[in-house]
Amino acid sequence: LKGFLTLSSCNSLTSQALWEACRTWASDSAGDAQPRKLMEVAPMLPVIGLQLSYLASLHEEDLISKSQMNEALRSFDVDCASLVGVWNYGSSGQLYSIDMKSDGKLKWQEQAMGLGGILEHAEGHWYVADLGGGQQIRLKWQGDNLLSHYRPNPEDTWRNEQLGTRLR
């Protein structure tokens, strides 16, 4: 597992996903070996992007060091973290999700259309993601909801205004 964690393919996973995978790996051990196995790999696991409640549970289990906790808290951006979740938009109940990757970047993904990209801060409280082929999505808070606009290429105007409501 230690070799796997050093692979660049792990960079695309969220910190939460990596921790959960390691918990599953460690749970295959009998008895007292489970906590020991997890403690062996814990220093290698990313902490940026973990929810505060998950960080607290790792701290209570003595699985993260003081330096890991400091790193996680210093990188915690309340505005970015509040975007994380599954969002419903449109009249037919389309969904998109926003996850925080292990490097702290926000990943926007719309499964049904196969679109995704990294959200970056932009002017006017907007977050913008390049979706490939010149397509872009932008989001910003409107009350408790997320307002989104789409454009097929950077020369076009923003269109297709949608209001997203959080599902979870």
Side-chain angles (χ1 to χ4, degrees):
L1 180 67
K2 290 179 183 180
F4 171 75
L5 291 173
T6 61
L7 296 175
S8 61
S9 60
C10 287
N11 292 339
S12 65
L13 298 173
T14 64
S15 296
Q16 181 90 23
L18 287 169
W19 275 93
E20 291 303 321
C22 288
R23 281 186 186 276
T24 301
W25 166 77
S27 70
D28 290 341
S29 303
D32 294 336
Q34 179 182 356
R36 257 193 336 270
K37 283 178 77 174
L38 197 52
M39 290 180 99
E40 286 178 28
V41 296
M44 298 175 66
L45 294 172
V47 292
I48 295 173
L50 291 174
Q51 295 177 356
L52 291 176
S53 59
Y54 198 81
L55 279 171
S57 70
L58 293 174
H59 178 69
E60 289 168 1
E61 296 173 61
D62 288 325
L63 289 173
I64 58 173
S65 66
K66 183 178 179 180
S67 63
Q68 283 176 298
M69 180 63 93
N70 288 339
E71 176 188 12
L73 293 175
R74 273 195 293 278
S75 70
F76 193 77
D77 181 339
V78 174
D79 289 336
C80 287
S82 63
L83 296 172
V84 172
V86 177
W87 298 84
N88 177 29
Y89 72 97
S91 58
S92 59
Q94 296 108 314
L95 300 175
Y96 62 83
S97 64
I98 300 173
D99 295 303
M100 190 171 291
K101 296 175 33 172
S102 60
D103 59 7
K105 293 181 180 179
L106 292 174
K107 182 177 183 181
W108 179 91
Q109 193 163 8
E110 214 279 10
Q111 294 280 350
M113 297 177 67
L115 297 173
I118 302 299
L119 289 167
E120 302 282 346
H121 284 278
E123 289 185 43
H125 304 288
W126 289 98
Y127 292 86
V128 177
D130 290 321
L131 307 176
Q135 300 176 86
Q136 293 180 311
I137 187 86
R138 72 176 182 175
L139 308 164
K140 81 171 181 177
W141 285 107
Q142 186 172 31
D144 291 335
N145 301 310
L146 281 180
L147 179 66
S148 67
H149 293 132
Y150 166 82
R151 66 179 170 188
N153 63 64
E155 293 80 34
D156 281 341
T157 59
W158 292 103
R159 59 178 92 161
N160 197 21
E161 182 174 289
Q162 299 284 337
L163 200 57
T165 57
R166 186 187 301 274
L167 289 181
R168 55 183 181 271

